Structure formats: C-alpha cells, structure tokens
Amino acid sequence: MNKETRYKYLFDHHFFVNQYFLHKSASLDNMAKILNIKMEKVNQISLSNYGVEFEVLCSEYKFKHFWEEFTNPLNAELPVDSIIKSAGFISNDDFSESILKHKEESKYILEKKFI
C-alpha cells in the first residue's frame, strides 16, 4: 500500500469510523497531529476525496449528525441544546452559524419544533 492510500485509510478511519467530527476539539491542527501529518496534507486529503476543505467537512458532518439525532423519535423529549452538544458543536453560536449554512434543513427543524 502506498503512502497516499495509507493516509486516506487513516483519515477515513479516524474521521468517519471514530466520528472525529463530533469531538469539541475537532480541528485541522488536531487531526494533523492524530494522523502525524501536516495540516496541508489533511486538507489535501479532504479536498481531493470529498471536494471540500477539512473544516467544511467537519461542519457538514456535525450538522448531519445533529439532524439525524434531532429527527430521531428516541430523542423527542431531549432539549434541543442537549442534541446540539451531542453533535459536537462548541456553542449555540457555533450551531447557529452551521444552521445558516444549511438553510433548507433549518427550515424543517423549525417546522418540527414549532408546528
């Protein structure tokens, strides 16, 4: 296995299998340290394999996780703040910024919460 393939497997294992994006400390710098490669290399892996920079990939997967948990009937009695925290958002402001980037999905969140 060549180095590039190994880096991608490592990236996928930590990012997707271990759900790195849910960690409150998730960052390009921390991921580079975990993989023992430079930040530029982590970003390159993200860009070439997933079409977005690493930070955007983290944001997208945090939001996706939030959405899955929010719409899961099992969590119906949980406060939204609890679900926000479980999705790895640092704060409600961090979550709000993500909502602004996912306007269509946020419309459905509001409909479910208030209708």
Side-chain angles (χ1 to χ4, degrees):
M1 174 183 316
N2 71 29
K3 243 184 188 180
E4 296 302 313
T5 303
R6 186 176 178 329
Y7 289 149
K8 177 162 182 326
Y9 282 140
L10 273 172
F11 180 97
D12 288 353
H13 173 75
H14 289 282
F15 190 87
F16 298 108
V17 176
N18 293 342
Q19 294 185 311
Y20 176 75
F21 52 89
L22 295 180
H23 297 213
K24 294 203 185 315
S25 62
S27 70
L28 181 61
D29 182 48
N30 284 339
M31 185 63 150
K33 288 175 184 172
I34 288 169
L35 301 179
N36 196 32
I37 58 178
K38 293 183 180 189
M39 290 189 301
E40 296 80 13
K41 185 66 180 170
V42 174
N43 230 5
Q44 183 216 351
I45 293 167
S46 183
L47 279 166
S48 61
N49 292 285
Y50 306 104
V52 293
E53 291 184 352
F54 179 78
E55 298 291 345
V56 174
L57 191 66
C58 278
S59 179
E60 288 176 0
Y61 274 83
K62 279 182 189 182
F63 186 83
K64 180 180 177 196
H65 181 81
F66 166 81
W67 184 248
E68 288 169 359
E69 293 300 312
F70 183 80
T71 58
N72 183 339
L74 184 64
N75 295 323
E77 301 298 318
L78 290 179
V80 175
D81 190 52
S82 175
I83 299 170
I84 289 170
K85 289 178 182 164
S86 76
F89 291 98
I90 296 168
S91 65
N92 287 350
D93 288 341
D94 185 32
F95 174 74
S96 295
E97 287 177 24
S98 182
I99 287 287
L100 291 173
K101 294 174 185 170
H102 298 86
K103 289 183 183 182
E104 264 317 293
E105 294 93 335
S106 65
K107 179 176 75 174
Y108 296 117
I109 289 172
L110 292 173
E111 286 175 358
K112 179 176 169 123
K113 179 72 176 161
F114 299 111
I115 293 178

PDB file of all heavy atoms in Angstrom, residues 88-112:
ATOM      1  N   GLY A  88     -21.364  17.792  18.795  1.00  0.00           N
ATOM      2  CA  GLY A  88     -20.003  18.309  18.761  1.00  0.00           C
ATOM      3  C   GLY A  88     -19.867  19.804  18.556  1.00  0.00           C
ATOM      4  O   GLY A  88     -18.758  20.306  18.381  1.00  0.00           O
ATOM      5  N   PHE A  89     -20.974  20.530  18.586  1.00  0.00           N
ATOM      6  CA  PHE A  89     -20.875  21.977  18.437  1.00  0.00           C
ATOM      7  C   PHE A  89     -20.329  22.576  19.732  1.00  0.00           C
ATOM      8  O   PHE A  89     -20.723  22.182  20.823  1.00  0.00           O
ATOM      9  CB  PHE A  89     -22.233  22.588  18.084  1.00  0.00           C
ATOM     10  CG  PHE A  89     -22.692  22.223  16.710  1.00  0.00           C
ATOM     11  CD1 PHE A  89     -23.595  21.193  16.509  1.00  0.00           C
ATOM     12  CD2 PHE A  89     -22.192  22.888  15.605  1.00  0.00           C
ATOM     13  CE1 PHE A  89     -24.009  20.835  15.241  1.00  0.00           C
ATOM     14  CE2 PHE A  89     -22.596  22.541  14.316  1.00  0.00           C
ATOM     15  CZ  PHE A  89     -23.508  21.515  14.145  1.00  0.00           C
ATOM     16  N   ILE A  90     -19.439  23.525  19.596  1.00  0.00           N
ATOM     17  CA  ILE A  90     -18.784  24.150  20.737  1.00  0.00           C
ATOM     18  C   ILE A  90     -19.771  24.987  21.540  1.00  0.00           C
ATOM     19  O   ILE A  90     -19.715  25.029  22.762  1.00  0.00           O
ATOM     20  CB  ILE A  90     -17.589  25.007  20.266  1.00  0.00           C
ATOM     21  CG1 ILE A  90     -16.539  24.112  19.615  1.00  0.00           C
ATOM     22  CG2 ILE A  90     -16.990  25.798  21.420  1.00  0.00           C
ATOM     23  CD1 ILE A  90     -15.467  24.854  18.872  1.00  0.00           C
ATOM     24  N   SER A  91     -20.686  25.637  20.831  1.00  0.00           N
ATOM     25  CA  SER A  91     -21.648  26.524  21.488  1.00  0.00           C
ATOM     26  C   SER A  91     -22.893  26.635  20.623  1.00  0.00           C
ATOM     27  O   SER A  91     -22.919  26.167  19.480  1.00  0.00           O
ATOM     28  CB  SER A  91     -21.035  27.913  21.664  1.00  0.00           C
ATOM     29  OG  SER A  91     -20.811  28.500  20.380  1.00  0.00           O
ATOM     30  N   ASN A  92     -23.904  27.303  21.161  1.00  0.00           N
ATOM     31  CA  ASN A  92     -25.107  27.552  20.371  1.00  0.00           C
ATOM     32  C   ASN A  92     -24.796  28.476  19.195  1.00  0.00           C
ATOM     33  O   ASN A  92     -25.400  28.353  18.125  1.00  0.00           O
ATOM     34  CB  ASN A  92     -26.218  28.138  21.240  1.00  0.00           C
ATOM     35  CG  ASN A  92     -26.820  27.096  22.161  1.00  0.00           C
ATOM     36  OD1 ASN A  92     -26.546  25.901  22.043  1.00  0.00           O
ATOM     37  ND2 ASN A  92     -27.628  27.540  23.098  1.00  0.00           N
ATOM     38  N   ASP A  93     -23.845  29.398  19.379  1.00  0.00           N
ATOM     39  CA  ASP A  93     -23.440  30.282  18.276  1.00  0.00           C
ATOM     40  C   ASP A  93     -22.794  29.480  17.151  1.00  0.00           C
ATOM     41  O   ASP A  93     -23.046  29.736  15.972  1.00  0.00           O
ATOM     42  CB  ASP A  93     -22.476  31.366  18.758  1.00  0.00           C
ATOM     43  CG  ASP A  93     -23.164  32.430  19.609  1.00  0.00           C
ATOM     44  OD1 ASP A  93     -24.407  32.551  19.536  1.00  0.00           O
ATOM     45  OD2 ASP A  93     -22.451  33.136  20.342  1.00  0.00           O
ATOM     46  N   ASP A  94     -21.966  28.532  17.532  1.00  0.00           N
ATOM     47  CA  ASP A  94     -21.336  27.641  16.549  1.00  0.00           C
ATOM     48  C   ASP A  94     -22.416  26.895  15.765  1.00  0.00           C
ATOM     49  O   ASP A  94     -22.361  26.788  14.540  1.00  0.00           O
ATOM     50  CB  ASP A  94     -20.409  26.665  17.282  1.00  0.00           C
ATOM     51  CG  ASP A  94     -19.614  25.760  16.365  1.00  0.00           C
ATOM     52  OD1 ASP A  94     -19.269  26.193  15.243  1.00  0.00           O
ATOM     53  OD2 ASP A  94     -19.309  24.620  16.786  1.00  0.00           O
ATOM     54  N   PHE A  95     -23.412  26.403  16.482  1.00  0.00           N
ATOM     55  CA  PHE A  95     -24.529  25.712  15.841  1.00  0.00           C
ATOM     56  C   PHE A  95     -25.300  26.665  14.923  1.00  0.00           C
ATOM     57  O   PHE A  95     -25.638  26.311  13.797  1.00  0.00           O
ATOM     58  CB  PHE A  95     -25.467  25.124  16.894  1.00  0.00           C
ATOM     59  CG  PHE A  95     -26.705  24.525  16.303  1.00  0.00           C
ATOM     60  CD1 PHE A  95     -26.652  23.312  15.633  1.00  0.00           C
ATOM     61  CD2 PHE A  95     -27.924  25.174  16.416  1.00  0.00           C
ATOM     62  CE1 PHE A  95     -27.799  22.766  15.071  1.00  0.00           C
ATOM     63  CE2 PHE A  95     -29.061  24.624  15.862  1.00  0.00           C
ATOM     64  CZ  PHE A  95     -29.007  23.418  15.194  1.00  0.00           C
ATOM     65  N   SER A  96     -25.557  27.885  15.392  1.00  0.00           N
ATOM     66  CA  SER A  96     -26.297  28.873  14.594  1.00  0.00           C
ATOM     67  C   SER A  96     -25.595  29.164  13.270  1.00  0.00           C
ATOM     68  O   SER A  96     -26.248  29.278  12.226  1.00  0.00           O
ATOM     69  CB  SER A  96     -26.468  30.175  15.376  1.00  0.00           C
ATOM     70  OG  SER A  96     -27.277  29.956  16.491  1.00  0.00           O
ATOM     71  N   GLU A  97     -24.272  29.277  13.325  1.00  0.00           N
ATOM     72  CA  GLU A  97     -23.516  29.504  12.090  1.00  0.00           C
ATOM     73  C   GLU A  97     -23.701  28.338  11.126  1.00  0.00           C
ATOM     74  O   GLU A  97     -23.829  28.529   9.915  1.00  0.00           O
ATOM     75  CB  GLU A  97     -22.033  29.697  12.403  1.00  0.00           C
ATOM     76  CG  GLU A  97     -21.724  31.020  13.048  1.00  0.00           C
ATOM     77  CD  GLU A  97     -20.255  31.163  13.423  1.00  0.00           C
ATOM     78  OE1 GLU A  97     -19.409  30.478  12.799  1.00  0.00           O
ATOM     79  OE2 GLU A  97     -19.964  31.948  14.333  1.00  0.00           O
ATOM     80  N   SER A  98     -23.726  27.126  11.663  1.00  0.00           N
ATOM     81  CA  SER A  98     -23.935  25.956  10.823  1.00  0.00           C
ATOM     82  C   SER A  98     -25.335  25.961  10.215  1.00  0.00           C
ATOM     83  O   SER A  98     -25.518  25.623   9.049  1.00  0.00           O
ATOM     84  CB  SER A  98     -23.719  24.678  11.637  1.00  0.00           C
ATOM     85  OG  SER A  98     -23.869  23.547  10.820  1.00  0.00           O
ATOM     86  N   ILE A  99     -26.319  26.359  11.003  1.00  0.00           N
ATOM     87  CA  ILE A  99     -27.702  26.440  10.510  1.00  0.00           C
ATOM     88  C   ILE A  99     -27.773  27.389   9.315  1.00  0.00           C
ATOM     89  O   ILE A  99     -28.436  27.103   8.326  1.00  0.00           O
ATOM     90  CB  ILE A  99     -28.664  26.924  11.628  1.00  0.00           C
ATOM     91  CG1 ILE A  99     -28.890  25.824  12.644  1.00  0.00           C
ATOM     92  CG2 ILE A  99     -29.988  27.391  11.055  1.00  0.00           C
ATOM     93  CD1 ILE A  99     -29.756  24.705  12.173  1.00  0.00           C
ATOM     94  N   LEU A 100     -27.092  28.510   9.421  1.00  0.00           N
ATOM     95  CA  LEU A 100     -27.108  29.485   8.323  1.00  0.00           C
ATOM     96  C   LEU A 100     -26.544  28.888   7.037  1.00  0.00           C
ATOM     97  O   LEU A 100     -26.942  29.277   5.942  1.00  0.00           O
ATOM     98  CB  LEU A 100     -26.343  30.750   8.709  1.00  0.00           C
ATOM     99  CG  LEU A 100     -27.008  31.604   9.796  1.00  0.00           C
ATOM    100  CD1 LEU A 100     -26.081  32.742  10.209  1.00  0.00           C
ATOM    101  CD2 LEU A 100     -28.348  32.135   9.320  1.00  0.00           C
ATOM    102  N   LYS A 101     -25.630  27.930   7.176  1.00  0.00           N
ATOM    103  CA  LYS A 101     -25.039  27.288   6.004  1.00  0.00           C
ATOM    104  C   LYS A 101     -25.940  26.176   5.456  1.00  0.00           C
ATOM    105  O   LYS A 101     -25.692  25.652   4.384  1.00  0.00           O
ATOM    106  CB  LYS A 101     -23.670  26.709   6.359  1.00  0.00           C
ATOM    107  CG  LYS A 101     -22.649  27.767   6.710  1.00  0.00           C
ATOM    108  CD  LYS A 101     -21.368  27.143   7.186  1.00  0.00           C
ATOM    109  CE  LYS A 101     -20.398  28.204   7.656  1.00  0.00           C
ATOM    110  NZ  LYS A 101     -19.251  27.641   8.339  1.00  0.00           N
ATOM    111  N   HIS A 102     -26.985  25.802   6.210  1.00  0.00           N
ATOM    112  CA  HIS A 102     -27.895  24.718   5.823  1.00  0.00           C
ATOM    113  C   HIS A 102     -29.334  25.227   5.927  1.00  0.00           C
ATOM    114  O   HIS A 102     -30.146  24.687   6.678  1.00  0.00           O
ATOM    115  CB  HIS A 102     -27.702  23.501   6.732  1.00  0.00           C
ATOM    116  CG  HIS A 102     -26.349  22.908   6.668  1.00  0.00           C
ATOM    117  ND1 HIS A 102     -25.308  23.360   7.445  1.00  0.00           N
ATOM    118  CD2 HIS A 102     -25.849  21.917   5.903  1.00  0.00           C
ATOM    119  CE1 HIS A 102     -24.222  22.659   7.164  1.00  0.00           C
ATOM    120  NE2 HIS A 102     -24.529  21.788   6.236  1.00  0.00           N
ATOM    121  N   LYS A 103     -29.649  26.258   5.176  1.00  0.00           N
ATOM    122  CA  LYS A 103     -30.939  26.938   5.306  1.00  0.00           C
ATOM    123  C   LYS A 103     -32.139  26.027   5.062  1.00  0.00           C
ATOM    124  O   LYS A 103     -33.124  26.094   5.774  1.00  0.00           O
ATOM    125  CB  LYS A 103     -30.990  28.158   4.388  1.00  0.00           C
ATOM    126  CG  LYS A 103     -30.085  29.264   4.875  1.00  0.00           C
ATOM    127  CD  LYS A 103     -30.189  30.485   4.014  1.00  0.00           C
ATOM    128  CE  LYS A 103     -29.201  31.514   4.534  1.00  0.00           C
ATOM    129  NZ  LYS A 103     -29.260  32.736   3.805  1.00  0.00           N
ATOM    130  N   GLU A 104     -32.106  25.193   4.054  1.00  0.00           N
ATOM    131  CA  GLU A 104     -33.238  24.301   3.777  1.00  0.00           C
ATOM    132  C   GLU A 104     -33.507  23.365   4.946  1.00  0.00           C
ATOM    133  O   GLU A 104     -34.646  23.213   5.377  1.00  0.00           O
ATOM    134  CB  GLU A 104     -32.988  23.464   2.518  1.00  0.00           C
ATOM    135  CG  GLU A 104     -33.567  23.991   1.233  1.00  0.00           C
ATOM    136  CD  GLU A 104     -34.984  24.535   1.328  1.00  0.00           C
ATOM    137  OE1 GLU A 104     -35.934  23.763   1.572  1.00  0.00           O
ATOM    138  OE2 GLU A 104     -35.154  25.738   1.149  1.00  0.00           O
ATOM    139  N   GLU A 105     -32.443  22.720   5.456  1.00  0.00           N
ATOM    140  CA  GLU A 105     -32.614  21.803   6.574  1.00  0.00           C
ATOM    141  C   GLU A 105     -33.118  22.546   7.807  1.00  0.00           C
ATOM    142  O   GLU A 105     -33.961  22.026   8.536  1.00  0.00           O
ATOM    143  CB  GLU A 105     -31.302  21.074   6.910  1.00  0.00           C
ATOM    144  CG  GLU A 105     -30.833  20.138   5.828  1.00  0.00           C
ATOM    145  CD  GLU A 105     -29.859  20.789   4.855  1.00  0.00           C
ATOM    146  OE1 GLU A 105     -29.885  22.022   4.693  1.00  0.00           O
ATOM    147  OE2 GLU A 105     -29.073  20.053   4.242  1.00  0.00           O
ATOM    148  N   SER A 106     -32.636  23.761   8.043  1.00  0.00           N
ATOM    149  CA  SER A 106     -33.047  24.502   9.233  1.00  0.00           C
ATOM    150  C   SER A 106     -34.534  24.850   9.172  1.00  0.00           C
ATOM    151  O   SER A 106     -35.204  24.904  10.198  1.00  0.00           O
ATOM    152  CB  SER A 106     -32.201  25.761   9.423  1.00  0.00           C
ATOM    153  OG  SER A 106     -32.402  26.683   8.388  1.00  0.00           O
ATOM    154  N   LYS A 107     -35.059  25.059   7.978  1.00  0.00           N
ATOM    155  CA  LYS A 107     -36.489  25.332   7.830  1.00  0.00           C
ATOM    156  C   LYS A 107     -37.299  24.156   8.380  1.00  0.00           C
ATOM    157  O   LYS A 107     -38.264  24.343   9.109  1.00  0.00           O
ATOM    158  CB  LYS A 107     -36.822  25.576   6.352  1.00  0.00           C
ATOM    159  CG  LYS A 107     -38.300  25.837   6.099  1.00  0.00           C
ATOM    160  CD  LYS A 107     -38.564  26.180   4.644  1.00  0.00           C
ATOM    161  CE  LYS A 107     -38.474  24.928   3.820  1.00  0.00           C
ATOM    162  NZ  LYS A 107     -38.862  25.124   2.420  1.00  0.00           N
ATOM    163  N   TYR A 108     -36.874  22.950   8.078  1.00  0.00           N
ATOM    164  CA  TYR A 108     -37.586  21.769   8.578  1.00  0.00           C
ATOM    165  C   TYR A 108     -37.421  21.605  10.079  1.00  0.00           C
ATOM    166  O   TYR A 108     -38.336  21.143  10.759  1.00  0.00           O
ATOM    167  CB  TYR A 108     -37.116  20.514   7.839  1.00  0.00           C
ATOM    168  CG  TYR A 108     -37.447  20.575   6.378  1.00  0.00           C
ATOM    169  CD1 TYR A 108     -36.444  20.588   5.424  1.00  0.00           C
ATOM    170  CD2 TYR A 108     -38.759  20.658   5.935  1.00  0.00           C
ATOM    171  CE1 TYR A 108     -36.733  20.679   4.069  1.00  0.00           C
ATOM    172  CE2 TYR A 108     -39.070  20.745   4.598  1.00  0.00           C
ATOM    173  CZ  TYR A 108     -38.042  20.755   3.670  1.00  0.00           C
ATOM    174  OH  TYR A 108     -38.342  20.844   2.337  1.00  0.00           O
ATOM    175  N   ILE A 109     -36.274  21.992  10.616  1.00  0.00           N
ATOM    176  CA  ILE A 109     -36.079  21.929  12.065  1.00  0.00           C
ATOM    177  C   ILE A 109     -37.104  22.835  12.747  1.00  0.00           C
ATOM    178  O   ILE A 109     -37.760  22.441  13.704  1.00  0.00           O
ATOM    179  CB  ILE A 109     -34.641  22.353  12.447  1.00  0.00           C
ATOM    180  CG1 ILE A 109     -33.643  21.282  12.007  1.00  0.00           C
ATOM    181  CG2 ILE A 109     -34.529  22.595  13.956  1.00  0.00           C
ATOM    182  CD1 ILE A 109     -32.200  21.687  12.158  1.00  0.00           C
ATOM    183  N   LEU A 110     -37.236  24.036  12.259  1.00  0.00           N
ATOM    184  CA  LEU A 110     -38.182  24.978  12.852  1.00  0.00           C
ATOM    185  C   LEU A 110     -39.615  24.479  12.715  1.00  0.00           C
ATOM    186  O   LEU A 110     -40.406  24.590  13.644  1.00  0.00           O
ATOM    187  CB  LEU A 110     -38.027  26.363  12.218  1.00  0.00           C
ATOM    188  CG  LEU A 110     -36.713  27.067  12.532  1.00  0.00           C
ATOM    189  CD1 LEU A 110     -36.603  28.345  11.724  1.00  0.00           C
ATOM    190  CD2 LEU A 110     -36.585  27.336  14.007  1.00  0.00           C
ATOM    191  N   GLU A 111     -39.968  23.905  11.585  1.00  0.00           N
ATOM    192  CA  GLU A 111     -41.318  23.373  11.398  1.00  0.00           C
ATOM    193  C   GLU A 111     -41.593  22.262  12.413  1.00  0.00           C
ATOM    194  O   GLU A 111     -42.652  22.215  13.012  1.00  0.00           O
ATOM    195  CB  GLU A 111     -41.491  22.847   9.980  1.00  0.00           C
ATOM    196  CG  GLU A 111     -41.619  23.952   8.951  1.00  0.00           C
ATOM    197  CD  GLU A 111     -41.662  23.440   7.521  1.00  0.00           C
ATOM    198  OE1 GLU A 111     -41.565  22.228   7.303  1.00  0.00           O
ATOM    199  OE2 GLU A 111     -41.783  24.280   6.619  1.00  0.00           O
ATOM    200  N   LYS A 112     -40.654  21.382  12.611  1.00  0.00           N
ATOM    201  CA  LYS A 112     -40.838  20.273  13.552  1.00  0.00           C
ATOM    202  C   LYS A 112     -40.940  20.779  14.979  1.00  0.00           C
ATOM    203  O   LYS A 112     -41.735  20.300  15.774  1.00  0.00           O
ATOM    204  CB  LYS A 112     -39.682  19.267  13.433  1.00  0.00           C
ATOM    205  CG  LYS A 112     -39.840  18.122  14.406  1.00  0.00           C
ATOM    206  CD  LYS A 112     -38.752  17.097  14.224  1.00  0.00           C
ATOM    207  CE  LYS A 112     -38.806  16.164  15.357  1.00  0.00           C
ATOM    208  NZ  LYS A 112     -38.951  14.910  15.374  1.00  0.00           N
TER     209      LYS A 112
END
